[in-house]
């Protein structure tokens, strides 16, 4: 709400679009990092998503990224294993945020 009060709607939308785009780019990288087993870079990418979403108040994405940061690769269910992949959930949350923002324009 503080951001919405501080700037015009179109600027706020640009910031949210940039946040979602950044999260999607990092998500793509995280899939590769998980496949490579690069724990440190995986956690850094999750931390970066968490930071951007925290500043903007994108609470769902923030919470998911915080979980991935805390648990690391152990949370990244790799292809072929049962269960819901948290990276897929993060991508779906990006889609939901885009839909919400689109409905407010």
């Amino acid at each position: 709400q503080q951001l919405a009060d501080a700037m015009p709607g179109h600027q706020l939308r640009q910031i949210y679009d940039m946040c979602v785009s950044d999260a999607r780019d990092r998500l793509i990288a995280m899939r590769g990092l998980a496949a490579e087993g690069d724990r440190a870079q995986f956690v850094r990418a999750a931390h970066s998503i968490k930071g951007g979403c925290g500043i903007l108040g994108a609470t769902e994405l923030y919470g998911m990224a915080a979980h991935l940061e805390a648990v690391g690769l152990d949370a990244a269910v790799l292809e072929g294993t049962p269960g819901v992949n948290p990276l897929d959930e993060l991508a779906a949350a990006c889609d939901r945020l885009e839909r919400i923002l689109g409905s407010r324009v």
Side-chain angles (χ1 to χ4, degrees), residues 26-73:
R26 291 183 193 279
L27 177 58
I28 291 167
M30 289 171 76
R31 291 184 191 280
L33 295 167
E36 295 168 9
D38 190 335
R39 293 181 180 278
Q41 291 298 320
F42 183 92
V43 168
R44 282 187 191 104
H47 178 79
S48 294
I49 293 171
K50 182 184 83 170
C53 293
I55 290 169
L56 294 177
T59 57
E60 182 181 21
L61 291 173
Y62 175 89
M64 291 176 162
H67 174 72
L68 289 170
E69 179 186 21
V71 180
L73 283 181

